[in-house]
């Protein structure tokens, strides 16, 4: 169907200038090197293949996170979310985790979701930290608004970072009172929670950029479920 | 006293179970142990179930009665045995004494825990209820933090370093890769958990100086043994492995009341008793399953149990003596670190592991020609410890 | 330190905290209650960064101290950087909320 570009122009939010997130690399516990880099709109169809299977997993609220992340990515792809970004972790090209959010105002960052596809290796912790780093150090914002959907998320972000409660206010995702990561909290937490080296050696980066490999559905379910028995 | 043999062994992989209830989880290894011995429909006289906290984790009590019913062991005697994280060791002890005394012939011992019905911090809290309610618990002390305080002193006194601790973790994760029953199948590297500046996030402080990879995971898991008098072994299909020695000792509940807080007195005494009863020495042991809930404990227990002099456990580790292929492989199963630590399941899983090695059934992680095995189950923070010496006999 | 009550065995003099039903050394059953007194010396400690459910702090320094009069006890160290052997002053303050109520315990600080 041909697009009514006049109407489309009304529906498309204008895009702000957003500095890019400089890629970094992190040694994981296994010794593997994870590249953390910013993805582009054109990568969305590939990402959706990784997110889709997670929507079936009720454990640890993967279904809610998966479904919302799917919608956010799609919205970004079809120009319906303003100033959205997505960072991803890759090991040998394979996608191991995704985080996203958006620039709400020039001063306030809105953190959306953290999805670890490879569990047990603190991938989620590394990627969440990278997204905070992006907001506060590259977008130059004053604070990031964060809400947790799972008890694990609450424990991880609110307590590990020591976030500030915004009593009674609302995050874009709705939900309970949310929390804020301010610059002061970030500077206290950073040495403990945000690591990584730059620049990424050329070969390592080239491998990540060449292809975002997404494991097949069964493999993803296996990884995030990690449940024994059931037979 | 009659000599007691283990004729059947069963285990389920440790990790996280969602579709099985606690009783179903306990039943699976029990059936495997019965089939392993080939007892068919023969009646089991008694059942002992090692479980620490089903009341808190699963909101269920009287677990042994439920299991006897589920497995149609009725009207067999059944008891749940609780001794903290050493509940498994205590359950085996009860089975051992029951058969040794001549009171029962066929006894099933099952140990297990389903900890992951609750989220991590709640599990931490439940485990911490072992500590003294007014002199310890109220402060937010946890088992990792008692271990952290112990580690700090042990490092000061004996020169154990973070590197040694990491080596325990790496060895046990490597062993776990060879064990299909292990909770964690991940090879870790010294770079990733210690040397790289990125390691502060990979292996964050849990309770310093202990980091994530110094701690056992929170596991669901279960294991089972079938015991009978040694003279009955020929009636079953498996080679003869006997419980040659047993020991158990207690120590003060609070660590602060120990004269020397780096001395694990209960470990020393339990091991001495077990060796004395078996008429063997630590030198005779071909492999040991120790309670490495925290990496430091593998080193400290290897000394207190008599395998190495105090302060020399770390060197033995460095020299590779405790690897599979070394002169005293420790935790070929992956230990609590990688096989996992399902509280009441652990003591039974340790002994099951020894039996597999003594029979030559341990697959890729087999300790060659093993004849004598030792296990140590550490309850509380070392205030109630059980030890076993197992032997293959002709 | 008024609230931290230790027990001295009337027969052999052993100092115990917490309370026991029989003396850990001589099995006697009579004790004289007394208060922990004087500076508390830090014997060991840990930085607990994984607190149990019910305590939402990011970290707590916990340690074992020995008072000048021989009482040993665990407490919450409210100091910037703990050091083995350091001298601390005892306080009796809320350490945990249980069943909606403040529970008091030993808190240790530097200075006064
Ligand atoms: C160390 C500890 C606090 C980590 O908890 P956590 O960060 O909440 O970890 P989670 O349970 O959320 O696990 C997340 C993943 O990390 C990995 N992981 C967790 N703990 C691990 C450990 N100790 N070692 C290696 N990997 C671990 C697992 O792969 C897990 O994946 P899974 O869910 O597929 O099993 C927790 O394992 C612990 O408390 N251990 C000590 C238990 C104890 O005291 N037992 C009694 C001793 S007597
Ligand atoms: Zn006395």
């Amino acid at each position: 169907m041909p697009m009514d570009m006049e109407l489309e122009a009304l529906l498309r939010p204008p895009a702000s200038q957003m500095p890019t997130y400089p890629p970094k690399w992190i040694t994981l516990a296994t010794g593997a090197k994870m590249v953390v880099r910013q993805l582009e709109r054109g990568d969305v169809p590939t990402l959706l293949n990784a997110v889709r299977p997670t929507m079936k997993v009720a454990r640890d609220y993967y279904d809610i996170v998966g479904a919302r992340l799917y919608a956010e990515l799609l919205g970004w792809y079809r120009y319906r979310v303003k100033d959205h970004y997505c960072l991803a972790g890759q090991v040998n090209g394979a996608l191991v985790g995704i985080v996203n959010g958006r620039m709400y105002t020039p001063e306030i960052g809105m953190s959306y979701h953290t999805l670890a596809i490879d569990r047990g290796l603190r991938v989620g912790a590394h990627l969440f930290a990278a997204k905070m780093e992006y907001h506060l150090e590259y977008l130059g914002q004053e604070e990031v608004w964060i809400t947790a959907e799972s008890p694990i998320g609450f424990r991880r972000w609110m307590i590990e970072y020591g976030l500030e409660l915004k009593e009674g206010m609302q995050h874009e995702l709705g939900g309970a009172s949310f929390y804020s990561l301010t610059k002061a909290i970030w500077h206290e937490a950073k040495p403990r929670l945000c690591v990584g080296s730059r620049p990424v050696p050329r070969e390592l980066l080239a491998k990540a950029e060449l292809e975002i490999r997404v494991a097949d559905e069964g493999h993803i379910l296996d990884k995030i479920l990690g449940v024994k028995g059931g037979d | 006293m009659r000599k007691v043999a283990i004729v059947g062994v069963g285990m389920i992989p440790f990790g996280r179970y969602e579709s099985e209830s606690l009783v179903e989880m306990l039943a699976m290894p029990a059936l495997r142990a019965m089939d392993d011995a080939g007892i068919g429909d023969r009646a089991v006289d008694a059942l002992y179930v090692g479980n620490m906290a089903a009341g808190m984790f699963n909101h269920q009590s009287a677990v042994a009665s439920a299991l006897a019913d589920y497995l149609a062991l009725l009207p067999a005697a059944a008891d749940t045995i609780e001794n903290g994280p050493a509940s498994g060791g205590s359950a085996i002890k009860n089975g051992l004494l029951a058969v040794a005394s001549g009171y029962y012939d066929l006894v099933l011992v099952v140990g297990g825990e389903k900890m992951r019905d609750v989220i991590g911090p709640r599990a931490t809290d439940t485990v911490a209820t072992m500590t003294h309610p007014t002199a310890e618990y109220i402060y937010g002390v946890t088992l990792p933090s008692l271990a952290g305080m112990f580690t700090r002193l042990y490092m000061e006194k004996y020169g154990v370093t973070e590197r040694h601790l990491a080596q325990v973790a790496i060895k046990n994760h490597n062993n776990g890769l060879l064990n299909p029953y292990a909770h964690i199948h991940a090879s870790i590297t010294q770079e990733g958990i210690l040397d790289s500046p990125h390691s502060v996030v990979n292996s964050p402080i849990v309770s310093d100086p202990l980091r994530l990879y110094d701690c056992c995971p929170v596991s669901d898991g279960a294991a089972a043994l079938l015991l009978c008098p040694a003279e009955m072994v020929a009636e079953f299909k498996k080679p003869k492995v006997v419980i040659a020695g047993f020991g158990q000792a207690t120590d003060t509940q609070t660590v602060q009341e120990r004269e020397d807080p780096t001395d694990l007195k209960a470990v020393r005494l339990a091991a001495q008793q077990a060796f004395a009863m078996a008429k063997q020495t630590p030198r005779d042991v071909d492999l040991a399953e120790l309670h490495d809930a925290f990496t430091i404990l593998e080193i400290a227990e290897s000394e207190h149990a008599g395998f190495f002099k105090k302060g020399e456990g770390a060197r033995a580790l460095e020299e590779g003596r405790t690897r599979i292929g070394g002169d005293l492989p420790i935790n070929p199963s992956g230990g609590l670190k990688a096989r996992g630590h399902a509280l009441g399941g652990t003591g039974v899983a340790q002994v099951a592991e020894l039996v597999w090695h003594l029979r030559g059934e341990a697959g890729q992680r087999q300790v060659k020609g093993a004849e004598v095995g030792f296990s140590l189950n550490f309850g509380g923070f070392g205030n109630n410890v059980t030890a076993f010496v197992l032997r293959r006999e002709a | 330190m008024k609230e931290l009550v230790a027990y001295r065995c009337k027969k052999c003099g052993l100092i115990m905290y917490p309370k026991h039903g029989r003396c850990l050394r001589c099995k006697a059953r009579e004790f004289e209650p007394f208060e922990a007194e004087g500076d508390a010396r830090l014997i060991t400690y840990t930085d607990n960064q994984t607190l149990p459910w019910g305590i939402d702090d990011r970290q707590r320094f916990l340690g074992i101290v020995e008072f000048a009069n021989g009482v040993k006890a665990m407490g919450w160290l409210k100091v910037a950087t703990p050091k083995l052997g350091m001298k601390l002053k005892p306080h009796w303050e809320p350490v945990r909320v249980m069943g909606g109520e403040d529970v008091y315990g030993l808190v240790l600080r530097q200075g006064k």
Side-chain angles (χ1 to χ4, degrees), chain C residues 9 12 23 26:
Chain C
C9 173
C12 79
C23 172
C26 76

Side-chain angles (χ1 to χ4, degrees), chain A residues 188 192, chain B residues 139-152 204-212 215, chain C residues 42 44-52 57-64 75-84:
Chain A
E188 187 279 322
R192 214 166 18 92
Chain B
Y139 297 104
V141 80
T142 59
L143 268 288
S145 60
L146 287 172
M149 291 187 223
F150 175 83
T151 307
R152 173 157 272 115
I205 296 289
V206 171
S207 202
D208 93 319
L210 299 176
R211 302 165 59 151
L212 175 66
C215 302
Chain C
L42 187 58
T44 185
Y45 69 91
T46 187
D47 178 3
N48 185 0
Q49 300 199 5
T50 312
L51 286 145
D57 300 356
R58 194 188 68 68
Q59 64 82 229
R60 267 187 194 192
F61 290 118
L62 301 175
I64 294 174
W76 178 3
L77 317 177
K78 292 197 178 172
V79 299
T81 333
K83 264 211 184 83
L84 290 181

Side-chain angles (χ1 to χ4, degrees), chain B residues 55-77:
Chain B
M56 285 183 269
F57 290 125
N58 323 104
H59 204 66
Q60 181 168 10
S61 55
V63 174
S65 324
L67 184 62
D69 168 78
Y70 185 80
L71 286 177
L73 299 174
L74 314 175

Side-chain angles (χ1 to χ4, degrees), chain A residues 85-131:
Chain A
Y85 68 87
C86 174
L87 310 180
Q90 287 171 277
V91 174
N92 282 322
L95 185 71
V96 294
I98 307 171
V99 285
N100 71 332
R102 75 180 199 97
M103 200 163 79
Y104 179 53
T105 69
E107 293 75 35
I108 299 170
M110 192 66 67
S111 167
Y112 281 170
H113 289 101
T114 300
L115 182 78
I117 294 169
D118 213 341
R119 289 186 62 130
L121 291 175
R122 309 267 307 158
V123 163
H126 283 301
L127 291 178
F128 181 84
K131 122 164 128 170

Side-chain angles (χ1 to χ4, degrees), chain B residues 79-322:
Chain B
D79 300 285
T80 308
I81 306 294
E82 194 265 312
N83 174 17
S87 297
S90 287
I92 303 172
K93 184 265 297 270
N94 278 274
L96 167 72
L97 299 183
V99 176
S101 69
Y103 202 86
Y104 296 129
D105 284 337
L106 263 188
V107 169
L108 187 59
V109 178
V110 186
E113 205 85 33
K114 191 161 195 280
M115 305 174 73
R116 308 206 44 157
D117 277 359
V118 302
I119 70 162
R122 276 203 198 272
T124 303
D125 184 54
T126 295
V127 174
T129 60
M130 285 190 283
T131 61
H132 193 284
T134 57
E136 293 181 325
Y137 176 81
I138 56 167
Y139 297 104
V141 80
T142 59
L143 268 288
S145 60
L146 287 172
M149 291 187 223
F150 175 83
T151 307
R152 173 157 272 115
L153 291 177
Y154 220 82
M155 285 175 146
E156 280 265 317
K157 191 161 174 186
Y158 297 111
V160 172
T161 63
E162 284 194 312
R163 186 158 304 265
H164 293 127
L165 301 182
Q167 282 172 10
V168 173
I170 293 166
K171 167 180 74 67
N172 291 352
H173 273 245
N174 282 337
N175 292 351
L177 284 172
L178 305 176
N179 184 357
Y181 295 97
H183 179 169
I184 306 226
H185 285 123
S187 73
I188 49 172
T189 60
Q190 186 160 300
E191 207 210 339
I193 65 165
L194 188 66
D195 293 345
S196 156
H198 307 155
S199 69
V200 296
V201 177
N202 296 332
S203 191
I205 296 289
V206 171
S207 202
D208 93 319
L210 299 176
R211 302 165 59 151
L212 175 66
Y213 282 98
D214 292 309
C215 302
C216 60
V218 170
S219 315
D220 296 340
L225 309 172
L226 190 70
L227 311 184
C228 74
E231 66 258 25
M232 264 172 68
V233 169
E235 297 172 31
F236 305 100
K237 60 184 191 190
K238 289 291 176 176
K240 187 162 155 195
V241 171
V242 302
I243 301 180
F246 164 74
Q248 181 174 14
T250 49
D251 199 349
T252 61
Q253 183 179 16
T254 64
V255 175
Q256 81 225 16
E257 286 207 289
R258 298 182 196 164
E259 232 161 276
D260 173 0
T262 60
D263 184 26
L264 299 173
K265 207 187 268 177
V267 172
R268 252 190 310 115
L269 295 175
Q272 279 167 10
Q273 292 170 18
F275 284 120
M277 176 175 162
K279 298 193 173 60
Q280 303 216 258
T281 71
R283 280 171 191 280
D284 304 326
V285 170
D286 299 307
L287 78 152
E289 284 283 312
L290 302 183
H291 193 109
D292 58 328
F294 307 102
T295 47
I296 186 71
L297 288 181
E298 179 174 306
I299 295 170
E301 290 164 6
S302 73
E303 298 167 357
H304 286 80
F307 298 113
F308 309 111
K309 286 207 193 85
K310 259 202 154 177
E312 290 184 5
R315 179 150 26 107
L317 168 80
E318 253 173 353
E319 291 168 351
R321 295 176 60 190
T322 59

Side-chain angles (χ1 to χ4, degrees), chain C residues 26-94:
Chain C
C26 76
K27 317 299 177 206
R29 299 181 193 185
E30 285 186 35
F31 312 99
E32 173 208 337
F34 69 105
E35 288 157 18
E37 256 165 34
D39 283 344
R41 189 178 56 85
L42 187 58
I43 299 176
T44 185
Y45 69 91
T46 187
D47 178 3
N48 185 0
Q49 300 199 5
T50 312
L51 286 145
W53 188 264
I55 298 181
D56 282 349
D57 300 356
R58 194 188 68 68
Q59 64 82 229
R60 267 187 194 192
F61 290 118
L62 301 175
I64 294 174
V65 292
E66 178 167 7
F67 286 85
N69 66 349
V71 177
K72 289 187 206 162
M74 181 178 288
W76 178 3
L77 317 177
K78 292 197 178 172
V79 299
T81 333
K83 264 211 184 83
L84 290 181
M86 81 195 300
K87 291 256 167 33
L88 298 161
K89 298 282 184 203
H91 303 261
W92 195 252
E93 293 176 10

